[in-house]
Amino acid sequence: QVQVVESGGGLVQAGGSLRLSCAASGSTNSINYMGWYRQAPGKQREFLADITRGSSTKYADSVKGRFTISRDNAKNTVYLQMNSLKPEDTAVYYCNAKHLGLGYEYDYWGQGTQVTVSS
């Protein structure tokens, strides 16, 4: 089992920055990817970025160049640095830890942290 806990959300003005953190605990050696998703009211959950144990990264086009994902393996923590925030970035942000097995994958989710960007 893996537990993930997000922190760092809040209220920020457009153009501002926030850094989200996600701490993983439990069977962390089983995690292949950690990433960030978000869900705005009335919309589906959206992939934002992920990072492998070797720190290879992938980003959604909507955040490329504005958001940066990073990790501290010693702390089992992943970060999402969000710059140049826009009101449309307002959403609940979720941390994801993904385990890849033979022919299957399993996702662990945090409880989410609210990010609100005012115009």
Side-chain angles (χ1 to χ4, degrees):
Q1 286 291 327
V2 173
Q3 297 79 41
V4 292
V5 178
E6 306 97 336
S7 61
L11 174 65
V12 64
Q13 289 190 330
S17 298
L18 277 177
R19 188 176 83 154
L20 305 182
S21 299
C22 172
S25 61
S27 303
T28 56
N29 287 336
S30 68
I31 299 170
N32 300 97
Y33 293 84
M34 290 192 70
W36 290 94
Y37 291 68
R38 70 185 178 191
Q39 188 166 18
K43 295 189 176 182
Q44 290 189 331
R45 192 169 294 190
E46 172 190 17
F47 167 80
L48 298 177
D50 66 20
I51 187 167
T52 67
R53 297 181 68 85
S55 295
S56 294
T57 59
K58 183 171 63 181
Y59 294 93
D61 288 343
S62 58
V63 303
K64 200 175 294 184
R66 297 191 301 124
F67 292 7
T68 302
I69 190 170
S70 61
R71 67 187 297 160
D72 183 333
N73 287 333
K75 296 181 179 180
N76 288 317
T77 298
V78 172
Y79 306 97
L80 187 68
Q81 177 67 44
M82 306 186 294
N83 299 328
S84 303
L85 283 162
K86 307 173 183 179
E88 51 264 43
D89 293 318
T90 296
V92 178
Y93 283 67
Y94 294 93
C95 180
N96 169 267
K98 187 180 298 291
H99 166 70
L100 300 180
L102 288 176
Y104 74 96
E105 62 183 50
Y106 193 87
D107 291 298
Y108 300 92
W109 295 96
Q111 79 287 354
T113 186
Q114 177 70 45
V115 171
T116 303
V117 184
S118 63
S119 57

